[in-house]
Amino acid sequence: MIDVKHLTKAFGDHIVLDDINEHIHPGEKVVIIGPSGSGKSTFLRCLNLLERPTNGAITFEGQDITDPKADINLIRRQMGFVFQHFNLFPNMTIRRNITLAPVQTKLMTRAEADETACTLLKRVGLLDKMDAYPAQLSGGQKQRVAIVRALAMRPKVMLFDEPTSALDPEMVGEVLDVMKELANDGMTMVVVTHEMGFAREVGSRIIFMSDSNITEQGTPEEVFGNPKHPRLQEFLSKVL
């Protein structure tokens, strides 16, 4: 589904991603772990060009999205993105936050978008918050709405950038439960997270990043049960 070739990203003289090659296949649950500053979020944001690579190419379903001629807005509709800090519009109701993009892009009529919003909010236990405003919701509720907003565009892949790191500990579980349900439904997912329990339970493949590159990867059993690289061993000794 996503093919990454020789991806390099530099901010000035600082190389954040150094010649990365990777494939993400349909139905995979790829969980990216690693220390802060290792390039995890930058890698994720490059996948839909929120960060434009310095060098290299990224292909989504056979289309080179790094080609200047590519309609990146059209491609992004198929790639749901959930941010660390929700990014909901504070002046709009939850209903409007969810229906705005599907209606404006003409993916759905307003009636269809309303129906989709109802269905998805019911699924995450927030149907009663449809006409509330973001300020009236807890952090966990806001993040569940952010996930619903991304799902309303009927994406082919969901990208999650540390979706629980801004939440109070007791709210983390309610967001992870929604993500686990998505995974069980077969959604292709790429998740940057510090939640090792989630990575072990849900990930079909774990990628460990350090020093601007992919240091090791494998199944959860391989990465957590038998880590080979000293940097991964050191990282796991501190987080498990």
Side-chain angles (χ1 to χ4, degrees), residues 88-100:
L88 299 176
F89 297 112
N91 60 328
M92 296 182 186
T93 62
I94 300 310
R95 179 200 305 264
R96 185 94 172 102
N97 262 283
I98 295 166
T99 60
L100 180 68

Side-chain angles (χ1 to χ4, degrees), residues 33 194-200 220-227 232-240:
I33 63 172
H194 293 292
E195 300 291 334
M196 296 302 131
F198 173 84
R200 182 177 266 167
E221 293 78 14
E222 290 165 344
V223 169
F224 291 107
N226 188 28
L232 175 55
Q233 293 169 359
E234 178 193 5
F235 174 78
L236 292 177
S237 72
K238 291 175 179 175
V239 299
L240 292 182

